């Protein structure tokens, strides 16, 4: 099955700096890669996603890049703010069959220091 | 916030008991997936229902079972509870419409504690 590895597990940055979280996946058939933000005690919320026919996608301060050859994708947050502090999860999904199940990474605890 | 709701919010059970968790999908979504999230870990896929049929299953034993109703709401049943079943149980819905068919929107979860 699919395996997703995520690094680092914890990340501290100063407010205003950039943060980068990296994920690798094992199954080259995976074609959809969402990123979720989960604040303490709350539900995971989709912040950005990318499909395999695109190399990069940006939404204001957040961007995701995908390298299909190397089977890795990254989340970039610029001009970080204290409210960006949360656990971030990457995920990957295969198109095989009809089940749109997501395989998640283990999460990155991001702390933005004021 | 998404339109996905779950009940109950919290639940405490003892080992060996059975539990039923409920999920109402976002309007227009015909697919519901269930995930188990242990403390400090990413969500793990349990199974998915599409139009009332199981549509994929993760690496969970048969004592985890589910159901989807004609209105696309869903239940997760866990029999013979074990201590390791203590976790946050999340449901997610997706379907045609906002975000596209791939995008899964999560509910707030049910925190299950097994003593």
């Amino acid at each position: 099955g699919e395996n997703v590895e995520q690094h680092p597990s914890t990340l501290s940055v100063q407010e205003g700096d950039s943060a980068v979280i990296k994920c690798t996946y094992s199954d080259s058939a995976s074609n959809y890669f969402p990123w979720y933000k989960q604040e303490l005690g709350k539900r995971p919320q989709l912040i950005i996603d990318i499909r395999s026919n695109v190399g990069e996608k940006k939404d204001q301060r957040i961007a995701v890049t995908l390298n299909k050859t190397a089977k890795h994708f990254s989340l970039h947050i610029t001009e970080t703010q204290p409210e960006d502090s949360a656990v971030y999860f990457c995920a990957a999904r295969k198109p095989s069959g009809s089940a749109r199940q997501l395989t998640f990474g283990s999460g990155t605890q991001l702390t933005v220091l004021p | 916030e998404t339109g996905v709701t779950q009940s109950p919010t919290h639940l405490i059970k003892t080992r060996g008991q059975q539990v039923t968790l409920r999920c109402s999908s976002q309007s227009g979504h015909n697919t519901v997936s269930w995930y188990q999230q242990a403390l400090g870990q990413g969500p793990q896929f349990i199974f998915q229902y599409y139009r009332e049929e199981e549509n994929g299953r993760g690496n969970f034993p048969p004592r985890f079972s589910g159901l989807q109703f004609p209105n696309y709401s869903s239940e997760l049943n866990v029999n013979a509870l074990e201590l390791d079943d203590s976790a946050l149980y999340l449901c997610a819905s997706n379907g045609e419409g906002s975000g596209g068919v791939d995008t899964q929107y999560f509910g707030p979860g049910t925190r299950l504690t097994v003593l």
Side-chain angles (χ1 to χ4, degrees), chain B residues 54-105:
Chain B
E54 188 179 287
N55 188 41
R57 189 178 184 92
N59 191 26
F60 280 80
R63 60 190 184 83
F64 285 78
S65 64
L67 202 57
Q68 187 178 32
F69 300 98
N71 66 355
Y72 303 132
S73 65
S74 177
E75 286 183 354
L76 164 65
N77 299 291
V78 187
N79 293 322
L81 284 167
E82 300 177 0
L83 298 179
D84 285 348
D85 295 334
S86 295
L88 181 68
Y89 288 84
L90 295 160
C91 76
S93 74
N94 62 282
E96 304 295 334
S98 62
V101 69
D102 287 325
T103 304
Q104 293 193 6
Y105 295 94

Side-chain angles (χ1 to χ4, degrees), chain A residues 9-77:
Chain A
S9 57
T10 61
L11 179 60
S12 291
V13 299
Q14 289 294 136
E15 183 177 357
D17 286 352
S18 295
V20 180
I21 302 170
K22 299 181 179 182
C23 288
T24 60
Y25 59 100
S26 61
D27 195 327
S28 56
S30 289
N31 67 348
Y32 173 67
F33 307 94
W35 287 88
Y36 286 86
K37 174 184 179 182
Q38 188 174 29
E39 297 176 49
L40 192 62
K42 295 194 174 181
R43 73 186 78 196
Q45 288 195 306
L46 179 74
I47 56 172
I48 196 166
D49 57 12
I50 191 167
R51 288 170 174 78
S52 58
N53 58 346
V54 175
E56 184 174 358
K57 184 177 178 181
K58 195 171 182 180
D59 182 4
Q60 299 183 336
R61 297 186 297 109
I62 295 173
V64 57
T65 58
L66 171 65
N67 183 327
K68 286 190 297 182
T69 304
K71 291 188 285 187
H72 68 70
F73 55 113
S74 300
L75 178 71
H76 305 253
I77 305 174

Side-chain angles (χ1 to χ4, degrees), chain B residues 8-20:
Chain B
T9 307
H10 297 89
L11 205 50
I12 299 175
K13 292 285 189 178
T14 55
R15 200 168 40 179
Q17 285 189 311
Q18 178 265 342
V19 69
T20 298

